[in-house]
């Protein structure tokens, strides 16, 4: 009674994509931070859904910290990968990091669900989630369940749909 299954989630993606803003929105309002600053290293956060208790490794996306990501792959039971849909110049960098992730021995042969958030959909001229999906070649991911949602983390729009999908994959 009241016991929820514990799940470790890795939140990955380039710096400034909105990872911390998204995780903050998923926390209960009395636990939400007012000011969000670039993550140094990583931060461990928690939030709950109806059936699950998530522990999130909110990793820094800055280049100098990206080598930390792989140390947590083994513990991750799900991945949230965040993309800044307005950052067209760095879409190729996001794809490189995603491909490196997918080819890592601790990820490659596991059926680990990946939730993609095509974030910042509120920004004028941002790419649609379909376009982001094409640029990242998500259709090539055949051995893992994945899902992409367009989100506006500032308003929390689109996040629930993604978390509902993730919950369905795990429970
Ligand atoms: P690192 O910790 O450096 O890896 O970055 P991050 O991915 O955690 O990004 P963070 O949540 O710190 O957000 C970066 C900036 O983008 C902040 O100024 C946020 O307010 C802004 N931001 C996040 N989500 C959105 C969004 O959906 N729309 C808009 N317009 N801005 C957003
Ligand atoms: Mg952050």
């Amino acid at each position: 009674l009241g016991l929820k299954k514990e799940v470790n989630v890795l939140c990955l993606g380039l710096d400034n994509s909105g990872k911390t803003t998204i995780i903050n929105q998923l926390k209960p309002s009395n636990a939400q931070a007012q000011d969000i600053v670039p993550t140094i290293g990583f931060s461990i956060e928690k939030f709950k859904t109806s059936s699950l208790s998530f522990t999130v490794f909110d990793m820094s996306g800055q280049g100098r910290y990206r080598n930390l990501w792989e140390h947590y792959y083994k513990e991750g039971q799900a991945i949230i990968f965040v993309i800044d849909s307005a950052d067209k110049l760095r879409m190729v960098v996001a794809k490189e990091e995603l491909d490196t992730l997918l080819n890592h021995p601790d990820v490659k042969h596991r059926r680990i669900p990946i939730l993609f958030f095509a974030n910042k959909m509120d920004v004028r001229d941002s790419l649609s989630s379909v376009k982001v999906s094409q640029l990242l070649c998500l259709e090539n991911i055949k051995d893992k369940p994945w899902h992409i949602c367009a989100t506006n983390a500032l308003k929390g729009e689109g996040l629930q749909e993604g978390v509902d999908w993730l919950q369905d994959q795990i429970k």
Side-chain angles (χ1 to χ4, degrees):
L1 220 73
L3 281 181
K4 296 174 193 268
K5 184 176 173 187
E6 302 269 349
V7 183
N8 289 333
V9 184
L10 309 178
C11 190
L12 308 173
L14 300 186
D15 50 296
N16 199 50
S17 56
K19 300 178 293 298
T20 302
T21 308
I22 286 172
I23 302 307
N24 194 51
Q25 285 279 9
L26 296 174
K27 298 202 284 191
S29 45
N30 63 0
Q32 286 178 8
Q34 293 307 310
D35 297 304
I36 290 184
V37 294
T39 306
I40 306 293
F42 68 96
S43 156
I44 295 180
E45 306 292 337
K46 289 184 185 284
F47 71 91
K48 290 183 165 76
T49 61
S50 52
S51 64
L52 301 174
S53 175
F54 286 99
T55 297
V56 186
F57 292 72
D58 175 18
M59 307 301 295
S60 168
Q62 288 181 60
R64 77 186 92 151
Y65 294 120
R66 278 179 221 153
N67 57 0
L68 290 179
W69 295 4
E70 64 177 336
H71 298 291
Y72 300 91
Y73 291 167
K74 270 204 185 85
E75 330 195 7
Q77 295 158 281
I79 293 170
I80 296 176
F81 195 96
V82 183
I83 304 106
D84 177 348
S85 314
D87 190 354
K88 295 168 193 166
L89 281 177
R90 290 205 302 164
M91 205 55 72
V92 59
V93 184
K95 181 179 187 315
E96 276 172 17
E97 293 297 352
L98 173 63
D99 290 346
T100 303
L101 164 73
L102 293 172
N103 285 311
H104 191 281
D106 293 343
V107 175
K108 192 167 182 158
H109 298 295
R110 291 172 58 205
R111 240 188 88 78
I112 176 170
I114 310 182
L115 172 61
F116 293 92
F117 281 135
N119 193 35
K120 306 200 184 184
M121 66 174 181
D122 56 297
V123 176
R124 214 176 134 252
D125 288 338
S126 62
L127 299 171
S128 69
S129 59
V130 171
K131 190 71 201 170
V132 169
S133 172
Q134 285 168 353
L135 290 172
L136 297 182
C137 302
L138 298 188
E139 71 280 7
N140 291 347
I141 306 176
K142 311 242 189 249
D143 60 344
K144 294 173 181 51
W146 63 269
H147 184 72
I148 187 166
C149 302
T151 57
N152 169 356
L154 295 182
K155 291 195 167 171
E157 291 166 359
L159 300 178
Q160 196 54 51
E161 182 208 319
V163 171
D164 288 348
W165 176 84
L166 200 57
Q167 178 168 259
D168 278 352
Q169 296 306 310
I170 293 164
K171 71 178 179 207

